């Protein structure tokens, strides 16, 4: 799979990684050569290598565009932000072809993936016009806000709360309005050292 990573840490040339920063296999035409680091900054390659050691959850973020079409991408730069109100954030590369749709959507859905969802993560890191092909969607009270993928452990529906520009990324902050759990453990699929890894709870000594 020719996809680029959502993680700032991942190398841009690795063949199998989630997409966030830039859509899979489609570097922005005429994109500028990265500028030399400012005085005191760590070099970009060194920073990517360091951040590759930081395990991150693998998720799929979906929304409807202005025409009502389903759009989405695989994202690993995701975190909870606030308990009151309930906020989370997703970091999006501004070169991504899904960036403008997501930051302008009134609502979006965040899907937490488990180890059984590697194929789903790869699909949404692939070509944009194939991401929803033969992907079952769930129907329900929150499905009219954002597309709901049927095969995931947990879905969080959010309204757009704020968009913050940060370097070459936008931070999309969502206010969580609904949580749909399918009755099995959520999460467990992470991105670590430029590849998928499966997380599990640590064993507690008896």
């Amino acid at each position: 799979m020719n996809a680029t990573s959502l993680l700032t840490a991942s190398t841009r040339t690795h063949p199998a990684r989630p997409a966030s920063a830039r859509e899979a296999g489609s570097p922005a035409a005429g994109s500028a050569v990265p500028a030399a680091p400012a005085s005191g900054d760590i070099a970009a390659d060194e920073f990517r290598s360091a951040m590759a050691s930081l395990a991150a959850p693998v998720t799929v973020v979906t929304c409807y565009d202005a025409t009502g079409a389903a759009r989405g991408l695989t994202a690993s730069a995701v975190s909870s932000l606030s308990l009151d109100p309930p906020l989370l954030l997703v970091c999006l590369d501004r070169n991504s072809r899904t960036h403008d749709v997501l930051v302008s959507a009134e609502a979006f859905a965040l899907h937490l993936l488990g180890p059984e969802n590697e194929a789903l993560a790869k699909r949404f890191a692939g070509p944009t016009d194939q991401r929803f092909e033969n992907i079952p969607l769930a129907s329900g009270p929150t499905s009219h806000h954002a597309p709901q993928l049927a095969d995931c452990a947990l879905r969080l529906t959010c309204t757009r709360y704020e968009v913050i520009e940060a370097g070459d990324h936008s931070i999309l902050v969502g206010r969580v309005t609904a949580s749909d759990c399918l009755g099995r453990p959520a999460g467990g699929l992470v991105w670590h050292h430029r590849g998928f890894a499966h997380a599990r709870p640590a064993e507690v000594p008896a």
Side-chain angles (χ1 to χ4, degrees):
M1 177 185 67
N2 183 17
T4 55
S5 176
L6 263 187
L7 288 177
T8 309
S10 357
T11 168
R12 299 280 184 178
T13 57
H14 193 278
R17 49 187 176 274
S20 135
R22 198 175 287 157
E23 295 302 327
S26 58
S31 56
V33 175
S39 177
D41 285 352
I42 190 173
D45 287 347
E46 187 177 357
F47 182 59
R48 292 190 188 101
S49 180
M51 290 296 97
S53 297
L54 181 65
V58 180
T59 71
V60 170
V61 186
T62 62
C63 69
Y64 293 116
D65 65 17
T67 70
R71 301 288 297 274
L73 53 68
T74 301
S76 57
V78 174
S79 177
S80 61
L81 180 59
S82 167
L83 185 62
D84 184 17
L87 304 177
L88 57 79
L89 65 82
V90 182
C91 297
L92 302 167
D93 189 313
R94 293 204 297 271
N95 285 324
S96 164
R97 286 179 293 179
T98 312
H99 169 277
D100 291 353
V101 174
L102 278 169
V103 299
S104 61
E106 293 295 328
F108 64 91
L110 181 75
H111 302 77
L112 279 67
L113 305 186
E116 72 279 6
N117 295 132
E118 277 193 28
L120 190 63
K122 292 176 181 178
R123 167 65 71 90
F124 279 86
T128 55
D129 60 349
Q130 299 176 16
R131 292 179 182 176
F132 284 90
E133 283 187 2
N134 301 315
I135 296 296
L137 299 179
S139 60
T142 59
S143 61
H144 65 282
H145 296 295
Q148 309 284 321
L149 306 183
D151 188 21
C152 67
L154 178 66
R155 298 185 293 264
L156 300 174
T157 302
C158 307
T159 58
R160 187 183 69 239
Y161 184 81
E162 188 176 5
V163 177
I164 304 167
E165 299 306 320
D168 56 8
H169 281 60
S170 295
I171 302 172
L172 173 61
V173 180
R175 186 165 186 159
V176 182
T177 59
S179 172
D180 300 302
C181 181
L182 301 189
R184 63 178 188 265
L189 184 62
V190 298
W191 188 250
H192 191 220
H193 286 299
R194 303 184 178 111
F196 290 115
H198 297 168
R200 61 183 180 186
E203 294 184 5
V204 179

